[in-house]
Amino acid sequence: MITLGRNAKPQNVLVSTDQLAKRGVEIWECDRGGDVTFHGPGQLVAYPIFDLHGIPSTQGTRKTLGAIEYVRRLEEVLIRTCAAFDIPTERVKGLTGVWTQERESKPQAKIAAIGVHISRGVTSHGFALNVNTDLNYFNLIVPCGIASKPVTSMERELGRKVDFEQVLAAAARSFAEVFETEVEFVSNLDDLGRKLGVPMRPPAELQRLHNEEESYWA
């Protein structure tokens, strides 16, 4: 699936919808920030739901977590997850996401994309970490609108298939560390709703009445 964020430019999809259909790829417009990216098998896709009003900031300029600091924490989760597999990654100034470190034999490449939507302090959307992803799909687009840097995966960096369950476990540990919270695994959303004691989706009418203010980040 190719997803288009709020800032997506049509020219960053490089082939026609007919050609995409022949590859079994759909286009989906969404309300996250950012440009165009690909979601498919072999990716760890996480859509964290946080009320940022309940998370203290560590920057000293505000009491609770803001959008930029939240995205930086997501990047930290991904950096730690990759480090658990001996893949050194870093941030790139002026860009969002997580990138491999440039080496003599390999250029710097994007290994994880981030695009979030924040409404009244509540987050949605999130990140996609390329684990065993077929990177040929990224040739159909200009990933995140950045033509100057390639896309990579954990599989490509390590030269072997990666155990997906191990990546999931490492990401969960990283979330717990970075956000200083507990992480529990549930089998479905109904179980999650029962654990939290709240409905998983607010009624559409309630959203309309609140006239939610929204922000986007990518």
Side-chain angles (χ1 to χ4, degrees):
M1 176 188 295
I2 289 173
T3 66
L4 306 178
R6 287 275 177 154
N7 305 321
K9 298 177 177 62
Q11 63 267 30
N12 287 335
V13 179
L14 302 178
V15 299
S16 68
T17 52
D18 288 341
Q19 289 173 299
L20 291 174
K22 290 178 181 178
R23 295 284 299 272
V25 178
E26 297 180 354
I27 292 182
W28 187 265
E29 295 183 17
C30 57
D31 60 0
R32 63 163 173 80
D35 206 301
V36 56
T37 193
F38 171 78
H39 289 322
Q43 278 184 335
L44 174 58
V45 178
Y47 279 13
I49 302 173
F50 288 109
D51 183 351
L52 299 185
H53 297 138
I55 304 178
S57 172
T58 59
Q59 293 187 339
T61 56
R62 51 182 297 149
K63 292 183 179 180
T64 60
L65 209 62
I68 296 176
E69 189 178 358
Y70 170 63
V71 170
R72 296 294 170 257
R73 289 200 188 186
L74 290 183
E75 290 172 342
E76 182 63 24
V77 168
L78 293 161
I79 288 170
R80 294 188 185 199
T81 300
C82 290
F85 295 83
D86 296 322
I87 301 173
T89 57
E90 60 189 2
R91 298 175 178 88
V92 173
K93 186 176 181 179
L95 299 175
T96 301
V98 173
W99 311 75
T100 58
Q101 295 180 4
E102 187 172 357
R103 289 164 284 173
E104 290 184 4
S105 58
K106 290 184 179 180
Q108 186 175 62
K110 192 167 194 175
I111 197 168
I114 295 175
V116 302
H117 173 204
I118 301 172
S119 175
R120 296 178 67 87
V122 178
T123 67
S124 58
H125 298 284
F127 67 75
L129 170 63
N130 296 324
V131 182
N132 298 313
T133 317
D134 182 351
L135 299 177
N136 288 318
Y137 285 104
F138 287 97
N139 296 329
L140 305 174
I141 61 176
V142 179
C144 302
I146 303 170
S148 59
K149 293 183 182 291
V151 174
T152 190
S153 66
M154 298 178 73
E155 178 185 11
R156 173 169 288 182
E157 295 304 306
L158 295 173
R160 59 175 174 81
K161 288 281 185 182
V162 183
D163 187 311
F164 197 88
E165 293 300 320
Q166 291 183 3
V167 177
L168 181 59
R173 288 194 302 271
S174 299
F175 261 108
E177 294 167 358
V178 172
F179 286 94
E180 299 181 346
T181 187
E182 295 183 5
V183 175
E184 293 186 44
F185 287 88
V186 296
S187 59
N188 55 62
L189 288 178
D190 290 336
D191 286 348
L192 182 59
R194 283 191 287 270
K195 281 180 176 289
L196 296 177
V198 297
M200 292 307 301
R201 292 182 179 178
E205 181 66 11
L206 180 62
Q207 291 181 328
R208 185 188 66 79
L209 290 173
H210 280 183
N211 189 26
E212 296 183 339
E213 296 179 358
E214 300 179 325
S215 61
Y216 311 87
W217 189 264

